[in-house]
Amino acid sequence: MGIGVDDTVLVARASQGRLDAFDELSRRHYRRLYYVALRMLGDVRDAEDATQEAFERAWLALPAFEGQAAFPTWMYRIVTNVCLKSRQRRRHMLPLDEARDAPDSYGPEQIIEHAYRDRALRRAIAALPPEQRSPLVLREYAHCSYEEIARTLGISMGAVRGRLHRARVELMQAMRPWV
């Protein structure tokens, strides 16, 4: 499969059972979907499992994919649903991965402060209710538009705006000590 081949062409080929086309779709979109899963679940292994499960579900459901949404939007919905179900099964939050790349120009104090602030933000995001966390992660980390979020989560644009607003208010309150 060539790099210049459009997703819609790859989806059509994959729908016909062409594994090479689906492999190319997976390669193109894995990283962004993984980061959504990581932000929603907070654990590297869980995010890898959720992303893999999302692609497995997509492969099985691909013949029924009607193309009403773009392939990435459809995949965001699948990975979001997998993550929400995973969280329901666990009933508790695992610690977030603390790894963080810091710019070389930071001194030791700034690196430590940045790490603590980043950990506080990750914990604040993890503490959000799923109905607020999902649109926030899709908007801020997957860079989805409001329309894509509404389609992905199956909610209205007003609900997207409201949930994002509440999530941001809660994050501002949680991060007040760091301002």
Side-chain angles (χ1 to χ4, degrees), residues 81-111:
N81 287 339
V82 168
C83 290
L84 291 173
K85 287 178 182 165
S86 174
R87 286 184 52 80
Q88 286 174 351
R89 284 190 303 261
R90 284 188 305 165
R91 303 249 188 240
H92 68 282
M93 195 61 195
L94 295 177
L96 293 168
D97 181 20
E98 300 298 333
R100 176 79 179 165
D101 293 327
D104 292 335
S105 62
Y106 284 177
E109 296 84 15
Q110 290 91 354
I111 292 172

Side-chain angles (χ1 to χ4, degrees), residues 113-128:
E113 182 178 338
H114 191 280
Y116 281 120
R117 185 176 57 241
D118 190 52
R119 183 179 347 175
L121 178 60
R122 289 176 186 217
R123 286 184 177 162
I125 291 170
L128 290 172

